[in-house]
């Protein structure tokens, strides 16, 4: 993995880390690499979420792409999975998403999809990085009619909603649901989709103003949604993140339904329908031990990957699995989509609820989660490197694992998208795992400063 692209694209504080100059260089590098691979004038589509910095970065990206001869179609505000779908529908060579997903408004990011709708492989991103770090010195800028053109595609939202409605393929009449759009990209699509499917919809977090994306709402802040569902006597609630590639939910009692639970619910239905390929779901090392136990007890298997949807997707494509995802709600339904899609996931979950004629709390009660404690340690790139090289920390973490005596597990990892080292401890004794997580976090903090 290069220095620019992390596990989910290039990301940083807009205007500081992710500057217009950098966006332009990424555009130039991407166009040059794709032009070399396609042997024709490449065509890019660009979508963005609702952050105020989106317009600035979109303009810079488009300028960089056009400057080396690529044509650009601007989709406006659309979810990340819309770009992954529309790049195929429109026959474009690549798609670009300007979004920092679940992060606060000051952050933004650039992620790239190839013409088949999948995120670019590491080696292609590294080619683009080489052009960026070389300041484009090895690129030839276009002149005259060779300069790329910019146009707008006004049908993007409608085309994407049509696809989702067809993929979900259900009538949700009778389902009363609250939908939290995180003041993000799903604000332009969710109402069109879920009202079309016949659900009684109550929307919150659907009034973006450029600065309120993910602010006290969406999949990272479920309290407001849970209260709304309970106060209004609704069947459930679903919440997306800023770019709508994740979905979490709450039942009618306000209890959280995380990504593990959603995968378990959908995988169970798929197994019963005979559509769960190899009776297997792909999850990451973060998935709960209760989930693993449930899958085993119900005749299903799990394939385990490193944290990151790209690793889940790689395993799914390599082995032919049909469902996979992360506890955070990033769920991939590969029979329908090439990346995680929050609204597709929500639609399938609501479809299951409608077909089962039960309460959402019954679906949520498939299994009991093992207690899991997460503590984040703030860390710069240099401090992350020191953590990885510190053998004393590795030994201390191992000692904490041993202290759980087989009744839990410890997982410490460096975040690929945020300036954090994440400490997770899981087990049956919540007091013991909370104490262990705190000890590890304090020790890491002491050693890396």
């Amino acid at each position: 993995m290069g220095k620019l692209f992390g596990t989910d694209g290039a990301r940083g504080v807009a205007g500081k880390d992710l500057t217009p100059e950098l966006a332009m260089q990424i555009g130039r590098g991407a166009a040059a690499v794709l032009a070399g691979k396609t042997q024709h004038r490449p065509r890019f589509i660009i979508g963005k979420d609702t952050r105020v910095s989106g317009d600035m970065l979109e303009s810079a990206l488009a300028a960089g792409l056009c400057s080396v001869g690529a044509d650009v179609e601007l989709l406006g505000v659309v979810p990340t999975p819309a770009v992954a779908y529309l790049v195929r529908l429109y026959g474009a060579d690549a798609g670009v998403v300007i979004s920092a997903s679940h992060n606060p408004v000051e952050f933004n990011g650039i992620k790239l999809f190839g013409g088949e709708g999948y995120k670019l492989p590491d080696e292609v991103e590294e080619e683009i990085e080489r052009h960026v770090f070389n300041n484009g010195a090895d690129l030839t800028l276009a002149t005259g009619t060779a300069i790329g053109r910019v146009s707008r595609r006004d049908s993007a939202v409608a085309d994407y909603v049509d696809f989702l409605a067809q993929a979900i393929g259900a009538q949700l009449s009778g389902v009363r649901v609250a939908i939290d759009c995180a003041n993000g990209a799903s604000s332009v699509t969710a109402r069109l989709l879920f009202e079309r499917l016949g659900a009684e919809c109550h929307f919150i977090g659907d009034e973006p103003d450029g600065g309120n994306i993910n602010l006290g709402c969406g999949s990272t802040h479920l309290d407001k949604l849970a209260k709304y569902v309970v106060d209004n006597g609704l069947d459930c609630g679903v919440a997306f993140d800023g770019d709508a590639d994740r979905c979490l939910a709450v039942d009618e009692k306000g209890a959280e339904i995380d990504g593990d639970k959603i995968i378990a619910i959908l995988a169970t239905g798929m197994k019963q329908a005979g559509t769960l390929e190899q009776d297997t779901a792909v999850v990451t090392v973060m998935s709960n031990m209760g989930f693993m136990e449930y899958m085993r007890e119900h005749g299903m298997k799990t394939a385990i990957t490193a944290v990151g949807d790209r690793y889940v997707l790689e395993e799914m494509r390599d082995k032919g699995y049909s469902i996979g995802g992360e506890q955070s709600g990033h769920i991939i339904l590969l029979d329908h989509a090439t990346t995680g899609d929050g609204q597709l996931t929500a639609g399938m979950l609501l479809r299951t609820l409608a077909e089962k004629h039960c309460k959402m709390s019954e679906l949520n009660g498939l299994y009991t989660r093992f207690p899991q404690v997460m503590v984040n340690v703030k860390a710069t790139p240099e401090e992350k490197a020191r953590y990885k090289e510190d053998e004393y920390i590795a030994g201390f973490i191992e000692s904490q694992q041993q202290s759980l005596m087989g009744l839990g597990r410890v997982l410490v990892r460096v975040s690929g998208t945020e300036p954090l080292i994440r400490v997770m401890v899981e087990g049956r004794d919540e007091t013991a795992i909370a104490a262990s997580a705190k000890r590890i976090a304090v020790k890491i903090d002491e050693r890396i400063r």
Side-chain angles (χ1 to χ4, degrees):
M1 186 69 68
K3 299 176 183 177
L4 179 62
F5 292 102
T7 56
D8 200 24
R11 192 171 292 184
V13 175
K16 179 185 175 184
D17 307 311
L18 189 57
T19 62
E21 292 79 7
L22 178 56
M24 182 178 290
Q25 292 288 7
I26 291 174
R28 284 177 173 164
V33 170
L34 267 294
K37 294 185 180 301
T38 60
Q39 301 301 311
H40 64 248
R41 183 184 185 109
R43 185 161 60 91
F44 284 71
I45 59 173
I46 300 179
K48 60 187 176 183
D49 67 21
T50 56
R51 294 165 208 270
V52 66
S53 59
D55 291 348
M56 173 184 74
L57 295 173
E58 177 189 65
S59 298
L61 260 170
L65 290 164
C66 291
S67 71
V68 290
D71 290 333
V72 176
E73 290 186 20
L74 304 179
L75 307 184
V77 173
V78 292
T80 286
V83 174
Y85 168 70
L86 295 172
V87 72
R88 292 173 286 149
L89 182 68
Y90 297 158
D93 295 296
V96 187
V97 179
I98 302 168
S99 174
S101 189
H102 61 286
N103 293 135
V105 66
E106 62 267 26
F107 291 88
N108 217 325
I110 296 172
K111 64 182 83 173
L112 303 167
F113 291 92
E116 295 182 347
Y118 296 106
K119 291 179 182 177
L120 295 182
D122 291 352
E123 58 270 20
V124 177
E125 288 186 343
E126 287 164 7
E127 283 187 65
I128 296 170
E129 286 176 351
R130 283 195 288 272
H131 289 300
V132 173
F133 296 140
N134 198 28
N135 292 318
D138 51 348
L139 299 179
T140 301
L141 299 186
T143 59
T145 58
I147 293 172
R149 299 172 184 266
V150 178
S151 60
R152 295 186 180 274
R153 175 78 74 148
D154 295 329
S155 63
V157 168
D159 290 338
Y160 175 59
V161 169
D162 285 346
F163 153 70
L164 288 176
Q166 184 175 3
I168 294 165
Q171 267 298 311
L172 302 179
S173 54
V175 175
R176 305 176 68 233
V177 57
I179 300 172
D180 187 342
C181 296
N183 291 315
S186 62
S187 299
V188 304
T189 54
R191 186 179 298 274
L192 295 171
L193 172 64
F194 292 102
E195 290 184 350
R196 175 171 168 175
L197 295 175
E200 179 187 320
C201 301
H202 299 247
F203 289 91
I204 62 176
D206 65 334
E207 297 181 353
D209 62 10
N212 60 0
I213 188 170
N214 299 316
L215 184 61
C217 58
S219 62
T220 52
H221 302 86
L222 290 177
D223 291 352
K224 185 176 180 181
L225 177 66
K227 184 176 187 304
Y228 189 98
V229 167
V230 173
D231 288 351
N232 290 276
L234 304 182
D235 297 319
C236 59
V238 294
F240 310 119
D241 62 341
D243 67 337
D245 64 354
R246 301 187 191 194
C247 171
L248 294 179
V250 298
D251 64 25
E252 78 280 1
K253 299 176 182 178
E256 178 182 349
I257 307 174
D258 68 8
D260 285 346
K261 281 282 181 74
I262 295 173
I263 292 170
I265 292 166
L266 297 184
T268 300
M270 292 167 70
K271 179 175 171 59
Q272 292 168 351
T275 60
L276 182 63
E277 288 294 333
Q278 303 172 62
D279 289 338
T280 299
V282 182
V283 293
T284 77
V285 292
M286 293 295 291
S287 280
N288 193 270
M289 294 167 68
F291 167 83
M292 303 295 187
E293 193 173 82
Y294 169 83
M295 295 292 281
R296 285 194 301 270
E297 291 175 351
H298 289 80
M300 292 177 282
K301 300 184 284 291
T302 52
I304 313 297
T305 76
V307 174
D309 66 287
R310 68 187 304 147
Y311 305 116
V312 172
L313 180 58
E314 285 173 6
E315 181 72 7
M316 293 176 70
R317 294 182 69 190
D318 183 50
K319 304 290 176 40
Y321 301 133
S322 50
I323 186 171
E326 298 182 278
Q327 195 179 64
S328 61
H330 199 134
I331 296 167
I332 303 168
L333 298 167
L334 201 52
D335 290 341
H336 303 286
T338 57
T339 190
D341 190 318
Q343 289 169 104
L344 177 62
T345 299
M348 293 301 190
L349 181 64
L350 296 176
R351 171 179 167 174
T352 302
L353 179 67
E355 291 175 347
K356 294 290 185 182
H357 301 290
C358 64
K359 291 185 179 298
M360 188 63 91
S361 58
E362 294 177 53
L363 295 179
N364 196 16
L366 284 178
Y367 66 85
T368 300
R369 296 178 75 253
F370 281 34
Q372 200 174 68
V373 174
M374 177 81 76
V375 180
N376 291 323
V377 180
K378 290 185 178 180
T380 65
E382 294 76 19
E383 289 166 342
K384 289 180 179 180
R386 282 200 287 275
Y387 155 73
K388 290 180 179 179
E389 296 168 358
D390 194 317
E391 294 182 2
Y392 181 88
I393 293 178
F396 186 83
I397 291 171
E398 178 59 28
S399 72
Q400 292 302 303
Q401 174 68 68
Q402 294 300 322
S403 72
L404 296 174
M405 296 182 294
L407 299 177
R409 64 183 179 122
V410 176
L411 178 65
V412 182
R413 69 180 186 88
V414 171
S415 172
T417 59
E418 297 180 76
L420 299 172
I421 298 170
R422 302 189 188 278
V423 179
M424 190 274 284
V425 184
E426 181 180 36
R428 295 187 184 275
D429 186 333
E430 192 160 7
T431 301
I433 65 173
S436 181
K438 183 176 180 180
R439 284 193 292 270
I440 294 170
V442 168
K443 186 61 65 179
I444 291 173
D445 192 67
E446 288 174 353
R447 298 284 297 184
I448 65 175
R449 304 305 175 197

